[in-house]
Amino acid sequence: MVLRVPCFSYVYQKYKNGYLLTKDRSSRSIKLKYSQTFIRFHAPEIEYCMGNLYLVDDYAWTPDDFKVSETMENFFANFIKTGNPNGEGVPNWPAAEAKDTTPPVMIIDVESKAVDAKDDARYVFLDKAYKN
């Protein structure tokens, strides 16, 4: 028996500043070698989706950070409770459909929104690999 469940994809867009900031807004002497604008690294959204920004003292979190965190917490809590991230107070997040070459992707940022993935061959590959 094959169980078909909805698939929801997201792209996390809220990146931290290119400096580690102390709470008094003074930057530490860690200027990024490759980017002066933002930090991209593995799993940067973890503090946001878990709602524990206040536990990380390495950044001077802004109201925008807390807004993104609240959105992510709501999406994740809705999904855990119902299998669907949609609910009150969050933007509509359409599920991806089989064989869709431009499936909807939720862009999670200060103003989160669903967009169609453009020219993304990985979706076609995965559909073929999983025989969707």
Side-chain angles (χ1 to χ4, degrees), residues 18 31-40:
K31 188 172 184 179
L32 294 180
K33 184 176 183 180
Y34 303 105
S35 171
Q36 296 179 13
T37 308
F38 51 81
I39 298 173
R40 290 186 187 231

Side-chain angles (χ1 to χ4, degrees), residues 8-15 40 45 48 64 67-72 75-76 85-86 90-95 102-118 120 122-123:
F8 298 91
S9 298
Y10 73 91
V11 174
Y12 176 76
Q13 290 289 93
K14 178 69 175 88
Y15 294 105
R40 290 186 187 231
E45 75 273 25
Y48 291 85
D64 284 348
K67 180 179 179 182
V68 172
S69 181
E70 183 178 7
T71 299
M72 288 193 79
F75 277 141
F76 281 53
N86 292 298
V90 292
N92 184 51
W93 187 343
T102 59
V105 176
M106 179 57 68
I107 304 299
I108 297 180
D109 202 344
V110 177
E111 297 299 327
S112 297
K113 63 183 175 185
V115 299
D116 289 338
K118 302 292 183 204
D120 202 334
R122 69 182 160 175
Y123 296 110

